[in-house]
Amino acid sequence: MSKYDPLWNWIKENGTDSFKLTYAEIEEIAGLPIDHSFLTYKKELSEYGYKVGKISMKEQTVAFHRMF
């Protein structure tokens, strides 16, 4: 079980092809602060049919895309 499972499940249930979440939204959904470990854990998202796109430090957003 991953510490980001709540976030991955939320993304899977969202069902949108492409969308962005702010760091604050990710922290709220995941129930923990986003940190550098996110870069390691993001590969788990492929098991849920999605991938992490652009991570913007300036805008503090993360883009997610459904894999087809």
Side-chain angles (χ1 to χ4, degrees):
M1 182 166 160
S2 165
K3 68 181 188 176
Y4 286 102
D5 279 348
L7 175 62
W8 306 152
N9 285 316
W10 185 93
I11 290 169
K12 182 180 176 185
E13 291 172 13
N14 179 29
T16 305
D17 288 344
S18 231
F19 60 95
K20 285 183 185 178
L21 292 174
T22 65
Y23 291 0
E25 290 169 326
I26 290 171
E27 291 174 352
E28 184 177 331
I29 295 164
L32 52 95
I34 190 171
D35 57 22
H36 288 293
S37 72
F38 182 79
L39 298 174
T40 301
Y41 284 96
K42 72 178 186 175
K43 63 183 172 232
E44 299 172 343
L45 187 54
S46 64
E47 298 172 24
Y48 295 81
Y50 283 83
K51 65 180 179 177
V52 173
K54 182 179 180 182
I55 300 173
S56 173
M57 299 295 283
K58 182 178 180 181
E59 296 177 7
Q60 295 193 338
T61 60
V62 179
F64 298 93
H65 306 285
R66 185 189 306 238
M67 298 175 4
F68 294 99

